[in-house]
Amino acid sequence: MKKSICLYFQVHQPNRLRLYRFFDIGKDSHYYDDFANRTILRRVAQRCYLPTNELLLDLINTYKGQFKVAFSISGSVLEQFDRYAPEVIDSFRKLAGTGCVEFLAETYYHSLASLASPSEFRHQVTKHKETIEHYFGVSPKSFRNTELIYSDEIGSMVYDMGFKTMLTEGAKHVLGWKSPNYIYSGALAPKLKLLLKNSTLSDDIAFRFSDRGWSDWPLTGDKYLGWIKAAARNDEIVNLFMDYETFGEHQKAQSGIFEFMRYFPEVVIKDGEFEFVTPEQAARKHKAVASLDVPDPISWADEERDVTAWLGNELQNDAFNKLYSVVEKLAIVNNEQLWSDFGHLQESDHFYYMCTKFFSDGAVHKYFNPYDTPYEAFINYMNVLSDFILRVDDAISVSDIKFAAEKKTAPAKSARTAKAETAKKAAAKPAAKKTVKAGSAAAAKKPSARKTVKTKK
């Protein structure tokens, strides 16, 4: 049996926030920098999405289905494709039509909901799955959480939602002596198969490819396949997971990244030791060799491979906790626009911008950050969040007023009806009324009895 190579790409663009000042709170509730979102989306579409999709389609046709890839495309970027570059959706549809591309499920808003709210997490996964079905006519079978975030508990939730395959990071502090080049199973969900990213080989393309100071520059297809063979000498599968923007955006076209991608599949297929598979195919092909215990969340970010890129300081945790404190309030008002804004405010990028790491991973954070400092990112976000919470509270107040008015109106109407019915009954029974008046004097001296009757009535 041939060994496997699984190529997976993350496709995501956040809804960037405009400069939102303290004095805008309560006055202007449009939070997004539409110009920046459109400009960046169009730029990345021209540099990456369109040319790389065309290249992949050509490779699939050239090798008659032997070349396969997988994508997770966030709902946030799909909304922007619809708005600013619908031709990108058409190019992904062409890839979907080949049957050689797997589309994975994830959180709709590329959020950290799995770390905060199980109900919101399930809602976003369901919404994303339905969106992928709508756009591409396929139902996702495998799952990939935001930034490959995974823990035993998250894996259990994912399995309960019907997914049997999940992607995550091959974190060294979790694996220990184990190799990432096998399939593992979840500790709390033994039937959930885990595909682990080979960080070294993935980052050789994603981060080091164009670095002329790198001792192994330039990277060629033959050299890279040699590394893959050496890494998986006694193993079964090599998982190469990376941002799709690697092609043409992070690694510019002049670096030779497109030529590398065009030649690499040919090298692999001609060699014959490996074959390309999608995550679902990999899970069917290979058995889990062991259970993987991950009590604390891991991810593919930074050297730590944990969640400190988003929740590693007080700024991030303050914003995160304040955001998710409104979940129950939102459930009361059930306002579509509020839920939409809540979703976009959950995008993990907003918390990433607040990261205060300035050491080995500082350059990476700076590259992706539209703010000059993490503190500016925090202040801007909290101003937006303050306005959002005011809107939620106002919506609840309106709901309370309506509810109180309805509650007050309904009993009043009932009382008037009851009084009218009592008057009609009294008018219809004059004899009974007269009998009471003609009763004994003792009876007439018992107001407490009438009061009691009236009270019971």
Side-chain angles (χ1 to χ4, degrees), residues 284-353:
R284 289 202 306 262
K285 179 180 176 182
H286 302 285
K287 294 181 179 180
V289 296
S291 173
L292 197 65
D293 294 314
V294 189
D296 300 312
I298 59 174
S299 77
W300 70 356
D302 296 350
E303 286 190 350
E304 296 88 348
R305 299 296 197 258
D306 56 17
V307 296
T308 55
W310 305 276
L311 299 174
N313 62 44
E314 292 183 6
L315 304 179
Q316 294 168 313
N317 282 283
D318 186 24
F320 182 80
N321 292 331
K322 191 171 183 180
L323 173 67
Y324 282 98
S325 69
V326 302
V327 172
E328 292 184 2
K329 290 183 178 180
L330 279 169
I332 295 173
V333 296
N334 196 27
N335 181 292
E336 185 176 347
Q337 184 57 52
L338 287 175
W339 275 109
S340 176
D341 287 335
F342 178 60
H344 290 303
L345 289 177
Q346 290 182 68
E347 290 167 348
S348 62
D349 309 74
H350 303 308
F351 302 95
Y352 192 82
Y353 301 150

Side-chain angles (χ1 to χ4, degrees), residues 377-391:
F378 173 74
I379 291 170
N380 200 66
Y381 183 84
M382 294 304 282
N383 285 342
V384 170
L385 186 55
S386 295
D387 181 83
F388 176 74
I389 291 175
L390 280 177
R391 290 168 57 206

Side-chain angles (χ1 to χ4, degrees), residues 8-10 72 104-107 110-112 114 143-151 154 166-171 194-199 202-203 239-243 294 296-301 305-307 310 348:
Y8 152 77
F9 304 115
Q10 167 185 285
S72 68
L104 312 183
E106 68 156 278
T107 57
H110 199 75
S111 74
L112 305 175
S114 60
F143 186 80
R144 175 263 186 201
N145 197 17
T146 304
E147 305 296 328
L148 294 188
I149 292 174
Y150 175 82
S151 69
I154 293 172
M166 185 172 178
L167 280 58
T168 188
E169 171 67 31
L194 302 175
L195 276 66
L196 309 185
K197 172 191 168 188
N198 186 304
S199 300
S202 297
D203 293 350
N239 298 306
L240 305 174
F241 302 164
M242 63 198 78
D243 287 329
V294 189
D296 300 312
I298 59 174
S299 77
W300 70 356
R305 299 296 197 258
D306 56 17
V307 296
W310 305 276
S348 62

Side-chain angles (χ1 to χ4, degrees), residues 400-440:
D400 288 344
I401 291 171
K402 288 182 178 179
F403 178 75
E406 291 172 358
K407 188 175 181 181
K408 185 177 180 181
T409 301
K413 182 178 179 181
S414 178
R416 286 195 298 269
T417 302
K419 188 176 182 180
E421 290 176 351
T422 301
K424 288 181 180 179
K425 289 179 181 178
K429 297 180 180 180
K433 192 174 182 181
K434 187 174 181 180
T435 303
V436 173
K437 284 185 178 181
S440 64

Side-chain angles (χ1 to χ4, degrees), residues 29-313:
S29 296
H30 182 71
Y31 306 137
Y32 312 109
D33 189 338
D34 297 327
F35 177 78
N37 289 330
R38 180 185 184 280
T39 301
I40 294 172
L41 194 283
R42 292 292 304 172
R43 184 192 75 200
V44 180
Q46 294 302 318
R47 290 181 179 180
C48 171
Y49 303 139
L50 291 172
T52 314
N53 281 359
E54 184 178 357
L55 171 59
L56 296 185
L57 182 63
D58 184 51
L59 289 170
I60 290 170
N61 291 332
T62 298
Y63 298 107
K64 304 185 187 309
Q66 295 182 74
F67 178 68
K68 301 178 179 69
V69 297
F71 290 99
S72 68
I73 310 177
S74 72
S76 295
V77 76
L78 282 169
E79 289 180 3
Q80 293 188 57
F81 286 155
D82 247 344
R83 194 176 302 132
Y84 306 126
E87 63 272 23
V88 175
I89 293 179
D90 292 336
S91 67
F92 275 114
R93 284 191 178 122
K94 290 179 181 178
L95 287 172
T98 65
C100 295
V101 176
E102 182 179 357
F103 291 88
L104 312 183
E106 68 156 278
T107 57
Y108 184 91
Y109 295 104
H110 199 75
S111 74
L112 305 175
S114 60
L115 303 174
S117 171
S119 61
E120 176 64 14
F121 178 57
R122 286 190 292 269
H123 164 73
Q124 286 194 33
V125 173
T126 300
K127 182 175 182 177
H128 183 264
K129 184 178 179 181
E130 292 172 350
T131 302
I132 294 299
E133 290 171 350
H134 168 74
Y135 279 108
F136 307 117
V138 294
S139 181
K141 305 297 182 184
S142 306
F143 186 80
R144 175 263 186 201
N145 197 17
T146 304
E147 305 296 328
L148 294 188
I149 292 174
Y150 175 82
S151 69
D152 295 334
E153 185 178 357
I154 293 172
S156 180
M157 287 192 291
V158 169
Y159 183 76
D160 288 343
M161 285 188 281
F163 299 101
K164 296 182 179 179
T165 307
M166 185 172 178
L167 280 58
T168 188
E169 171 67 31
K172 292 181 181 178
H173 68 276
V174 169
L175 282 171
W177 57 268
K178 301 184 187 75
S179 168
N181 305 322
Y182 288 100
I183 287 182
Y184 294 86
S185 62
L188 299 181
K191 293 184 179 180
L192 178 69
K193 289 189 173 181
L194 302 175
L195 276 66
L196 309 185
K197 172 191 168 188
N198 186 304
S199 300
T200 301
L201 290 170
S202 297
D203 293 350
D204 285 338
I205 298 176
F207 294 106
R208 291 182 280 273
F209 183 84
S210 59
D211 182 6
R212 291 175 177 263
W214 182 29
S215 61
D216 289 302
W217 186 90
L219 182 61
T220 64
D222 297 283
K223 183 191 293 185
Y224 193 59
L225 178 59
W227 293 350
I228 291 175
K229 285 184 173 184
R233 184 174 288 108
N234 300 312
D235 302 346
E236 297 178 348
I237 181 170
V238 174
N239 298 306
L240 305 174
F241 302 164
M242 63 198 78
D243 287 329
Y244 200 36
E245 293 79 14
T246 295
F247 301 94
E249 178 64 19
H250 302 161
Q251 307 296 336
K252 307 302 181 187
Q254 54 267 34
S255 71
I257 190 68
F258 289 110
E259 289 75 12
F260 170 84
M261 193 64 215
R262 181 174 293 279
Y263 183 56
F264 175 60
E266 178 183 345
V267 172
V268 172
I269 293 170
K270 282 186 176 180
D271 179 84
E273 183 176 340
F274 288 83
E275 65 177 349
F276 292 99
V277 296
T278 64
E280 184 186 12
Q281 290 172 334
R284 289 202 306 262
K285 179 180 176 182
H286 302 285
K287 294 181 179 180
V289 296
S291 173
L292 197 65
D293 294 314
V294 189
D296 300 312
I298 59 174
S299 77
W300 70 356
D302 296 350
E303 286 190 350
E304 296 88 348
R305 299 296 197 258
D306 56 17
V307 296
T308 55
W310 305 276
L311 299 174
N313 62 44

